[in-house]
């Protein structure tokens, strides 16, 4: 049997013909504005028992990391690179495949990057960013569900 | 009667409201021997008897406040809730331009886990990775839109599979986003959903990089390792627990997202304890499993609506008693919205195939609704995105404004018509199913919203925890 749509609007509700002789009464009232969805509260989103002090990155906020190559500033891979070139000098005009082969990722057999940017920690030709440099961001909310 | 005034940030995100017939915006829900009178547009709820309910019915017909005795009128906030708020948002134009403020990148269709209910059936398809050439233009599109609006851009990572299966893609994208934001003076918010089954080094990077993290975990090790094992079948819980510890130690805003099956529905309270005590997390999000992908092929049973409601309610109370916050996406009493999510034409998910999908649950063209929900693609030649405006116009009707079934439901502006994809796939995969058939979780949504209203009425005074979306937990 098909499910019938709800009929909750006040005009659609059939009240008893004679609700009785009882006097009108209001048992409770609440203004739900108290429950308006707030921006995610950091105090609730932040874990309990977090360590008070953490080692800080040498990259300061509001500034671009100048750690080229990676590791020189101790950031390791906490910085991300906008564009990279292979470690060794490569002749201009090489294809992406050539570039990829010339890159290598420490601990890996070869570079698995695609396209014309290589996220491996090769020599960075552009800038490195410490991603949280752009904090604070207001209205932080939980990640996509 | 002065209409409600709104001065804060869009407490009513509902535009298509019947402004002439007040009674269509006011609901009466039988509740034992009493009635719950609910006027969501003005955030008003009351518990009344039948005689009062009849007086209000009459008042809404003749519009004469004098028909309600003064003491009752006074108790009912002078009937101010019967006005349509003046400052409702403008009705959205389905033909509006596509100007996303968030891009969600699905880096790959490969995953380190083999969740028994995976909606994307991870591991079952030929490996694909997102074309890195598409990432830049996607981010630029979002940066440009947010700059025009003076907003913050969001770059998110999600997918049918764990984005951190390919951390190098995530790192590259983050770098690009930060650079583009810096260049255009646009703030960039970085968010990610992950299983957390990653190396300690990657967990450290995760913690230092993202503004917020959604960690998918189903609970104590025996649940997690059965429902969400690694690809080789070994336990994932040690890795996830370690990642949770790293996030906790770095004080990263983080929430847990757990999937509940028929097997685990009775353990939700225990799951709350686990996430508080072991992970140190206080924000949790539990959802019943939906039969799609591997869940359907492997016959993983979902909990019954009744079971989920009962155990969720108990877990919610338990979480509250421990100063934690448990939520479910279909019960959002503090929200007044006509959309369940941004699937109705504002989502921009970049899939590994280079498509633009409006739904996290549609990561590739194998999904039965792919033809509807994939509305554009990356064209590598001009390195830009091609948007199908006709499809976009269809997507923009996937909200409760266009859902006939919900017209008279008291919970419609709380759940926003529920998840369109779950609703449509729960019937015959036809778009018309969305408008005229119930959502996949109406029973749960209505019952939990009703319980939230009751709870709000029971908790008088300053208890802000009474509903499912408390204002603040301090």
């Amino acid at each position: 049997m098909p499910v019938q749509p709800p009929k909750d609007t006040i005009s659609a509700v059939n009240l008893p013909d004679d609700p009785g002789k009882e006097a009108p009464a209001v048992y409770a009232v609440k203004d739900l504005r108290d429950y308006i969805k707030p921006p995610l509260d950091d105090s609730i989103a932040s874990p309990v028992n977090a360590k008070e002090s953490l080692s800080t990155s040498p990259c300061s906020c509001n500034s671009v990391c100048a750690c080229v190559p990676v590791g020189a500033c101790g950031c390791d891979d906490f910085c991300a690179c906008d564009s990279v070139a292979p470690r060794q000098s490569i002749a201009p005009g090489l294809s992406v495949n050539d570039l990829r082969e010339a890159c290598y990722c420490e601990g890996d057999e070869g570079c698995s990057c695609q396209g014309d940017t290589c996220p491996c920690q090769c020599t960075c030709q552009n800038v490195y960013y410490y991603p949280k440099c752009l904090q604070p961001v207001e209205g932080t909310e939980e990640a996509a569900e | 009667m002065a209409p409600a005034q709104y001065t804060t940030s869009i407490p009513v995100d509902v535009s298509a409201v019947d402004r002439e017939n007040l009674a269509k915006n006011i609901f009466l829900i039988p509740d034992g021997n009493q009635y719950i009178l609910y006027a969501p547009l003005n955030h008003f709820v009351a518990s009344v008897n039948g005689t009062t309910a009849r007086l209000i019915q009459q008042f809404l017909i003749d519009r004469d406040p004098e028909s309600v005795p003064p003491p009752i009128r006074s108790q009912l906030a002078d009937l101010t809730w019967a006005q349509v708020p003046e400052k409702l948002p403008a009705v959205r134009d389905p033909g509006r331009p596509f100007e996303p403020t968030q891009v969600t990148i699905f880096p790959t269709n490969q995953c380190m886990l083999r969740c028994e209910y995976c909606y994307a059936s991870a591991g079952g398809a030929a490996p694909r990775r997102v074309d890195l050439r598409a990432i830049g233009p996607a981010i630029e599109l979002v940066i440009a839109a947010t700059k025009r609006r003076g907003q913050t851009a969001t770059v998110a990572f999600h997918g049918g599979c764990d984005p951190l299966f390919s951390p190098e893609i995530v790192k590259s994208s983050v770098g690009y986003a930060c650079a583009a934001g810096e260049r255009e003076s646009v703030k960039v918010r970085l968010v990610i959903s992950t299983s957390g089954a990653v190396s300690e080094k990657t967990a450290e990077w995760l913690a230092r990089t993202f503004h917020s993290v959604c960690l998918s975990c189903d609970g104590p090790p025996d649940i997690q390792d059965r429902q969400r094992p690694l690809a080789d079948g070994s336990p994932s819980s040690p890795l996830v627990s370690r990642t949770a510890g790293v996030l906790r130690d770095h004080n990263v805003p983080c929430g847990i997202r757990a999937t509940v099956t028929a097997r685990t529905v009775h353990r939700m309270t225990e799951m709350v304890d686990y996430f508080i005590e072991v992970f140190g997390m206080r924000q949790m999000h539990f959802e019943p499993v939906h039969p799609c992908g591997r869940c359907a092929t492997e016959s993983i049973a979902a909990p019954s609506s009744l079971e989920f409601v009962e155990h969720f309610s108990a877990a919610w109370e338990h979480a509250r008693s421990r100063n934690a916050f448990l939520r479910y996406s279909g019960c959002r009493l503090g929200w007044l919205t006509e959309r369940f999510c941004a699937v109705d034409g504002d989502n921009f998910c970049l899939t590994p195939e280079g498509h633009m999908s409006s739904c996290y649950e549609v990561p590739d063209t194998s999904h039965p609704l792919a033809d509807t929900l994939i509305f554009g693609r990356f064209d590598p030649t001009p390195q830009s995105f091609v948007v199908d405006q006709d499809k976009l116009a269809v997507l923009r009707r996937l909200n409760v404004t266009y859902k006939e079934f919900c017209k008279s439901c008291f919970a419609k502006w709380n759940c926003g018509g529920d998840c369109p994809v779950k609703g449509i796939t729960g019937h015959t995969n036809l778009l018309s199913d969305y408008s005229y058939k119930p959502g996949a979780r109406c029973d749960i949504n209505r019952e939990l919203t009703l319980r939230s209203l009751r709870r709000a009425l029971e908790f008088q005074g300053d208890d802000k925890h009474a509903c499912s979306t408390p204002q603040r937990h301090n």
Side-chain angles (χ1 to χ4, degrees), chain B residues 236-277:
Chain B
S236 61
S237 58
L239 299 177
V240 180
S241 180
R242 182 178 63 195
T243 297
V246 171
L247 295 172
R248 179 186 63 229
D249 290 347
H250 285 77
N251 208 22
V252 179
C254 182
I256 291 288
R257 201 283 193 193
T259 298
V260 177
T261 64
R263 196 189 301 129
T264 62
V265 66
H266 62 287
R267 297 182 64 182
M268 281 197 267
T269 299
E270 181 189 346
M271 288 158 61
V272 168
D273 284 335
Y274 179 78
F275 293 132
I276 294 173
E277 292 165 10

Side-chain angles (χ1 to χ4, degrees), chain A residues 55-138:
Chain A
S55 58
T56 54
S57 165
C59 299
S60 63
C61 286
N62 304 318
S63 67
V64 174
C65 262
C67 46
V68 181
V70 168
C73 72
C75 295
D76 296 327
D77 58 351
F78 299 146
C79 292
C81 194
D82 189 21
S83 66
V84 294
R87 275 175 193 270
Q88 287 126 22
S89 175
I90 298 290
L94 291 179
S95 68
V96 170
N97 278 340
D98 294 331
L99 195 69
R100 192 176 303 148
E101 284 172 10
C103 282
Y104 82 95
C105 303
E106 204 167 326
D108 292 336
E109 290 183 356
C111 177
S112 57
C113 303
Q114 295 179 335
D116 54 6
T117 61
C118 173
C120 296
Q121 303 304 319
C122 303
T123 301
C124 183
Q125 288 198 321
N126 207 321
V127 290
Y128 281 79
Y129 285 86
Y130 184 60
K132 285 189 178 177
C133 286
L134 299 174
Q135 281 187 321
V137 171
E138 293 171 359

Side-chain angles (χ1 to χ4, degrees), chain B residues 403-427:
Chain B
K403 193 164 171 62
E404 289 295 323
F405 190 89
C406 303
K407 286 287 183 205
S408 300
C409 176
F410 73 90
K412 66 178 180 179
W413 289 322
N414 300 127
C415 78
D418 204 9
C419 170
V421 172
K422 289 185 176 70
I424 295 170
T425 56
H427 297 293

Side-chain angles (χ1 to χ4, degrees), chain A residues 2-58 62-64 74-83 96 100 105-106 108 111-121 126-145, chain B residues 4 6 11 23-24 26-28 34-35 37-38 42-57 60 72 75-76 129-130 132-133 152 158 168 171-172 174-176 178-179 182 187-193 201 204-205 207-214 247-254 280 282-283 285 325 327 329 333-335 360 405 408-410 438 446 453 456-457 459-461 463-464 466-467 469-474:
Chain A
V3 179
Q4 294 302 309
K7 292 181 179 173
D8 302 323
T9 51
I10 189 165
S11 54
V13 174
N14 287 320
L15 292 167
D17 287 341
D18 178 7
K21 304 276 189 249
E22 71 176 330
V26 176
Y27 304 115
V29 168
K30 191 76 175 181
D31 184 345
L32 295 172
R33 246 174 287 256
D34 287 348
Y35 307 107
I36 287 171
K37 175 182 176 287
L40 183 67
D41 185 341
D42 281 348
S43 70
I44 189 174
S46 299
V48 291
N49 305 321
K51 287 179 182 172
E52 287 299 322
S53 62
L54 291 164
S55 58
T56 54
S57 165
N62 304 318
S63 67
V64 174
C75 295
D76 296 327
D77 58 351
F78 299 146
C79 292
C81 194
D82 189 21
S83 66
V96 170
R100 192 176 303 148
C105 303
E106 204 167 326
D108 292 336
C111 177
S112 57
C113 303
Q114 295 179 335
D116 54 6
T117 61
C118 173
C120 296
Q121 303 304 319
N126 207 321
V127 290
Y128 281 79
Y129 285 86
Y130 184 60
K132 285 189 178 177
C133 286
L134 299 174
Q135 281 187 321
V137 171
E138 293 171 359
T140 300
E141 200 161 329
E142 66 266 37
E145 292 163 3
Chain B
Y6 296 114
K24 286 190 176 177
I26 296 168
F27 303 94
L28 193 65
Q34 303 172 10
Y35 293 87
L37 174 65
Y38 182 33
N42 288 298
H43 309 281
F44 179 85
V45 64
S47 175
V48 301
N49 68 358
T51 307
T52 301
R54 183 172 291 277
L55 290 168
I56 298 300
Q57 268 187 339
L60 289 170
I72 296 297
Q75 284 180 283
L76 292 176
R129 292 153 55 96
V130 70
L132 292 180
R133 291 173 298 174
T152 297
H158 200 283
E168 71 281 2
K171 289 177 183 176
S172 178
V174 163
Y176 193 99
C178 291
E182 181 90 355
K187 287 182 178 176
V188 178
R189 186 171 69 106
L190 300 167
V191 299
I192 188 168
S193 291
K201 189 177 178 185
E204 289 278 346
W205 179 81
R208 289 180 181 273
T209 301
F210 285 90
H211 294 102
S212 74
V213 176
C214 177
L247 295 172
R248 179 186 63 229
D249 290 347
H250 285 77
N251 208 22
V252 179
C254 182
R282 287 188 294 160
Q283 174 160 293
H285 184 166
F325 175 35
R327 60 177 287 224
S329 63
L333 192 60
W335 296 29
Y360 299 148
F405 190 89
S408 300
C409 176
F410 73 90
R446 283 172 58 83
L453 288 170
L457 288 163
F459 286 91
Q460 296 296 315
D463 190 337
K464 300 292 194 295
C467 291
T469 51
Q471 189 169 35
R472 189 164 282 271
H473 278 226
N474 284 325

